[in-house]
Amino acid sequence: MRILFTLQYLGTRYAGWQTQANAVGVQQVFEAVLSRLFGAPIRVEGAGRTDAGVHARAQRAHADVPFEIPTRGLILGINDLLPHDIRVTAAEGVADDFHCRFAAKAKTYRYQIWNAPVSDVFAFETHAHVAQALDAAQMQRAARDLVSEHDFRAFTVASPEVATTVRTIASSDVVREGDAVVVTVTADGFLRNMVRRIAGTLIEVGRGSLDAVSFDEARWTAPAKGLVLWEVRY
């Protein structure tokens, strides 16, 4: 049977979601735990390939398991074996042909900035620190220009391994929450480094270094630790 899991993790200690040959990814840790629990090799597919240092509040992943375990016992059993910085929060049965990545209709990422003269020790692992005061209202105005379909080639790696760099952003918002400034972006899909470059551009707008977003150039990639995969919608 195929099970769809919802996971949260702090990406600080991991080389991203995907299994790595010479480093530890969240995927391989999760696969090892499932394989131990079911007594057979289990392969996991994830909905989003978060990079090294990036976190997830609601990563989705599916796996085919050899027998059924009641949901509550399954979640408790997995979490007993997982390290403290990875947790399964939900599990549900899905159709055998369901694929958590291809079936996704939209994904939401949240980029978190600690915007105060002194960084906060409790936010250190999950927020990028920007000491200079940011104009969140100006960032929000610039963020609106991202909405709709655009070519985000300037917001990804030099040689993206994708058929097209065009993506459709459904919403893009910037809000201040006390000393934190939060950028939230929902789209039909994302390119590698896309949200971090969007965040970097908006930070430059907030500093007053840029007037608006340019789709021809993204000069700065914000640090990985501020990025959280917030939601995957089906």
Side-chain angles (χ1 to χ4, degrees), residues 1-5 29-44 62-79 81 88 91-93:
M1 63 179 296
R2 181 161 292 185
I3 301 199
L4 176 64
F5 296 96
V29 175
F30 188 39
E31 286 178 345
V33 165
L34 289 179
S35 298
R36 179 178 171 189
L37 190 67
F38 285 96
I42 304 291
R43 170 72 177 172
V44 172
H62 74 255
D64 293 327
V65 299
F67 54 86
E68 184 177 0
I69 298 176
T71 302
R72 183 174 182 274
L74 176 63
I75 293 172
L76 290 175
I78 291 171
N79 287 333
L81 297 173
V88 168
E92 60 185 293

Side-chain angles (χ1 to χ4, degrees), residues 9-33:
Y9 51 83
L10 282 174
T12 309
R13 296 195 306 139
Y14 301 101
W17 161 261
Q18 202 166 6
T19 295
Q20 307 283 326
N22 55 0
V24 178
V26 175
Q27 179 185 13
Q28 67 204 84
V29 175
F30 188 39
E31 286 178 345
V33 165

Side-chain angles (χ1 to χ4, degrees), residues 101-206:
R101 182 157 61 95
F102 301 137
K105 301 298 184 186
K107 295 175 186 174
T108 298
Y109 278 89
R110 173 173 162 132
Y111 195 88
Q112 303 175 146
I113 305 153
W114 191 260
N115 186 216
V118 178
S119 62
D120 185 283
V121 295
F122 297 104
F124 179 79
E125 290 188 344
T126 57
H127 292 63
H129 179 226
V130 177
Q132 180 182 347
L134 296 175
D135 185 340
Q138 186 62 27
M139 293 169 70
Q140 168 64 6
R141 284 189 284 271
R144 291 180 188 145
D145 294 337
L146 296 166
V147 176
S148 193
E149 183 182 277
H150 299 284
D151 188 345
F152 286 93
R153 179 171 293 276
F155 289 81
T156 187
V157 294
S159 300
E161 296 178 355
V162 292
T164 176
T165 51
V166 174
R167 295 292 184 270
T168 301
I169 290 187
S171 63
S172 177
D173 295 291
V174 180
V175 296
R176 179 174 285 280
E177 300 174 355
D179 285 331
V181 174
V182 179
V183 179
T184 306
V185 185
T186 298
D188 58 353
F190 291 92
L191 303 165
R192 187 173 182 184
N193 287 349
M194 179 172 156
V195 183
R196 290 170 59 194
R197 291 198 176 180
I198 287 172
T201 299
L202 293 176
I203 288 169
E204 291 301 296
V205 171

